[in-house]
Amino acid sequence: MSADARPGAADVPTANPPRRWMASMALAALAVNVGFFGPIQILLARQAEFVSAGSKESVLALVAGVGALCSMLANPVWGALSDRTTGRWGMRLPWVLGGALAGAGGLLLLSTANSVVGMVLGWSVVQIALNAEFAALAAAIPDQVPVAGRGAAGGWFGLAQTVGVLIGTGLAVTGGDATGGSVLGGYAACAVFVVLATIPFVVLRRDVRLPPERRVPWDARAFARGFWPRGFGSDFGWAWLTRFLMNLGNAIALLYLLYYLKDGIQIADPEGGVLVLTATYAVILLSTVVAAGVWSDRLGRRRVFVLGSGVVMAVASVLMVTWPTWAGAVVAAAVLGLGFGTYTSVDFALVTQVLPAAADRGKDLGVINIANTLPQVLSPVVAATIVANLGGYTTLYLVSAAIGLLGAVLVYRIKGVR
């Protein structure tokens, strides 16, 4: 169905979209996550070591933090612009296509960086561009999927993130190996994948179309106020805080995973180790992410799944402390996959049920996405301080567990969702 035949985004969908739309949406989301996680898992850490081996942790923290700040600001902006986009292509498709092309260009720019400034600039371009695609895809789900099907849709969206981590890591490692250990091949492979995997969603051209007379006038002051999640006494605010804390816990633990394997438990091939752990995590997550979303849809309950997943994820972090070996890291990766798979699908469905206004879906989901990206800004500061001055990796993973568990408990402050 073409974009011209769809109702406006403020309408509540009553029927599930075709399976081919769900598949192409998941594939496009996979493209975004490959563009994000190929660099995050391997390439940025490797590049930081090339640029400044003696201060690689600080360089990685700076690059990751600035990029996350750019993502945090860009996502709501792109979402708000897509909320107000009129035209024959629909509201979301132009931003999906434009974000993919610009993101691929940013990855190629980043591949040429040989200084800290160049890394910061290149990674910022990637984050800003790919967030246009991410924001539009996230908003497309409540545009086209009824509430009773959003657990499953969230499962596919979360599945794309997990498989994106796996494929992005694989492309980063194999692309780098193909070019003699440089980062150029890894970045190029990720850039090509971003574009190719987005094409089916664009070609399908199923999108909502916003009639010009229904476009909400732009109000800069209201938009600026909207960056704050409308009071933590509201369900929307509590959903934001829950996601922020759980993502902060994860970000603190994962930022230095490569260095944990290399310097903490001192395995012989830390980059290969990251790939193995990512694959283990992904395989276990694949068994839970869609199933948990469907189960949540059938029960009509979300909060208990979020709480349970938070407990399981905290166990994974504790294992990194109590069993600091390669075997312990593999088991922790499997446990984390079990917990995060459940959390990802169900939390996305929960969030779509507490959005304040249907006409601002893209912008409000962008505000929610700040809860994903702000931890990426804060985690480098927190993690670097802990590793350097407050007990190293033992304290790092205990803090990670405590923060994530607090976020999971706070989900019961949300009253409008069961």
Side-chain angles (χ1 to χ4, degrees), residues 178-273:
T179 54
S182 76
V183 297
L184 178 61
Y187 280 122
C190 291
V192 170
F193 190 96
V194 165
V195 174
L196 293 181
T198 301
I199 289 174
F201 185 82
V202 176
V203 170
L204 188 60
R205 289 198 62 190
R206 179 186 170 92
D207 195 7
V208 295
R209 182 180 180 276
L210 180 67
E213 64 273 13
R214 291 180 62 176
R215 179 167 56 185
V216 177
W218 176 263
D219 185 334
R221 184 175 298 178
F223 174 76
R225 288 198 304 268
F227 268 80
W228 183 252
R230 303 192 185 189
F232 285 114
S234 68
D235 282 350
F236 185 73
W238 285 114
W240 189 96
L241 184 58
T242 294
R243 178 174 285 199
F244 168 76
L245 289 172
M246 294 189 74
N247 277 284
L248 179 61
N250 275 335
I252 289 172
L254 294 178
L255 179 65
Y256 289 150
L257 179 59
L258 180 65
Y259 300 151
Y260 170 77
L261 296 180
K262 184 176 182 178
D263 303 327
I265 62 177
Q266 300 180 350
I267 70 170
D269 180 14
E271 292 183 354

Side-chain angles (χ1 to χ4, degrees), residues 288-328:
T288 62
V289 63
V290 177
V294 172
W295 191 13
S296 174
D297 284 341
R298 290 177 179 173
L299 293 179
R301 294 180 180 273
R302 313 291 190 196
R303 296 182 301 177
V304 67
F305 287 89
V306 173
L307 176 61
S309 64
V311 172
V312 172
M313 291 158 66
V315 169
S317 291
V318 171
L319 283 172
M320 300 290 275
V321 173
T322 59
W323 195 1
T325 65
W326 172 243

Side-chain angles (χ1 to χ4, degrees), residues 406-418:
L406 174 61
V409 170
L410 289 178
V411 75
Y412 275 88
R413 299 292 296 183
I414 300 171
K415 305 302 183 183
V417 178
R418 295 177 65 191

Side-chain angles (χ1 to χ4, degrees), residues 386-414:
I386 291 173
V387 170
N389 304 306
L390 298 176
Y393 292 110
T394 296
T395 305
L396 184 77
Y397 287 109
L398 290 176
V399 170
S400 167
I403 292 174
L405 191 58
L406 174 61
V409 170
L410 289 178
V411 75
Y412 275 88
R413 299 292 296 183
I414 300 171

Side-chain angles (χ1 to χ4, degrees), residues 35-36 39-40 44 47 60-75 78 99 102-111 113 115-132 187 377:
F36 283 146
I40 288 172
L44 290 175
Q47 198 168 12
L60 179 59
L62 175 64
V63 173
V66 173
L69 179 61
C70 291
S71 174
M72 181 182 72
L73 297 174
N75 195 283
W78 297 132
L107 288 167
L108 296 177
L109 173 66
L110 179 58
S111 72
S115 67
V116 176
V117 172
M119 286 185 66
V120 169
L121 176 62
W123 185 233
S124 297
V125 171
V126 172
Q127 289 278 4
I128 291 169
L130 288 182
N131 266 283
Y187 280 122
V377 177

Side-chain angles (χ1 to χ4, degrees), residues 346-357:
V346 176
D347 182 67
F348 184 87
L350 183 153
V351 163
T352 66
Q353 292 178 239
V354 298
L355 296 177

Side-chain angles (χ1 to χ4, degrees), residues 63 122 134 138-139 191 365 374:
V63 173
F134 184 85
L365 282 169
L374 184 57

